[in-house]
Amino acid sequence: MPKAYDKITWRGVTLNRRTAAALEWAEKKSGVKISPAQGSYNTSVDASGTTHAGGGAVDIRTVYLSKTARVKLVKTLKDAGFATWHRKAVPGLWGEHIHAIALDDRSASASAKWQMGEYLAGRNGLTNQAKD
């Protein structure tokens, strides 16, 4: 029987079943197709630090989304239980994307857990700790 924290490949990225199920719920509820750019259990993207080293983390491509679809998806991801932010492009660091961390994911990295706390405190999840 599959378990919530089993690692799987979902649309080309590694996630756990719990995260994939929440993404599928958000996609169905919002009607916005999710195209992940980066999943969990990944340390190969320097700009992410260790945030994606554990479970629950996902970056979603936004280049194909209208502003309306992007806003709808961010809201629905939050409804699905993700700490979620729309990240604007930072030249030389990352392109525009939606960054999400599944709240209370027990396999999340320490930095992802820190971001969960920042989200709940109304901050942007970045080291500058600015208001979201």
Side-chain angles (χ1 to χ4, degrees):
M1 174 183 233
K3 298 192 189 306
Y5 290 94
D6 288 348
K7 293 178 188 176
I8 62 167
T9 299
W10 188 81
R11 298 188 186 167
V13 300
T14 303
L15 301 171
N16 59 44
R17 290 184 186 280
R18 178 180 185 267
T19 303
L23 289 170
E24 288 171 358
W25 181 92
E27 182 176 77
K28 184 176 180 179
K29 184 84 170 172
S30 69
V32 178
K33 180 82 171 167
I34 294 174
S35 177
Q38 180 183 189
S40 304
Y41 312 104
N42 181 16
T43 58
S44 66
V45 179
D46 290 340
S48 298
T50 59
T51 304
H52 290 262
V58 63
D59 286 343
I60 299 167
R61 291 180 182 90
T62 56
V63 68
Y64 65 96
L65 297 177
S66 68
K67 181 179 179 181
T68 301
R70 187 181 67 236
V71 169
K72 187 175 194 178
L73 183 56
V74 167
K75 181 191 180 313
T76 308
L77 286 164
K78 290 178 180 184
D79 291 345
F82 287 93
T84 309
W85 299 273
H86 169 242
R87 301 283 193 223
K88 294 182 179 177
V90 176
L93 193 56
W94 62 59
E96 178 185 347
H97 65 284
I98 293 171
H99 175 68
I101 304 288
L103 292 168
D104 299 323
D105 187 300
R106 70 177 189 221
S107 66
S109 70
S111 55
K113 289 177 182 177
W114 176 82
Q115 283 189 341
M116 291 177 205
E118 292 295 290
Y119 171 77
L120 295 172
R123 292 189 285 269
N124 66 4
L126 299 172
T127 55
N128 67 10
Q129 296 185 296
K131 186 176 171 147
D132 185 21

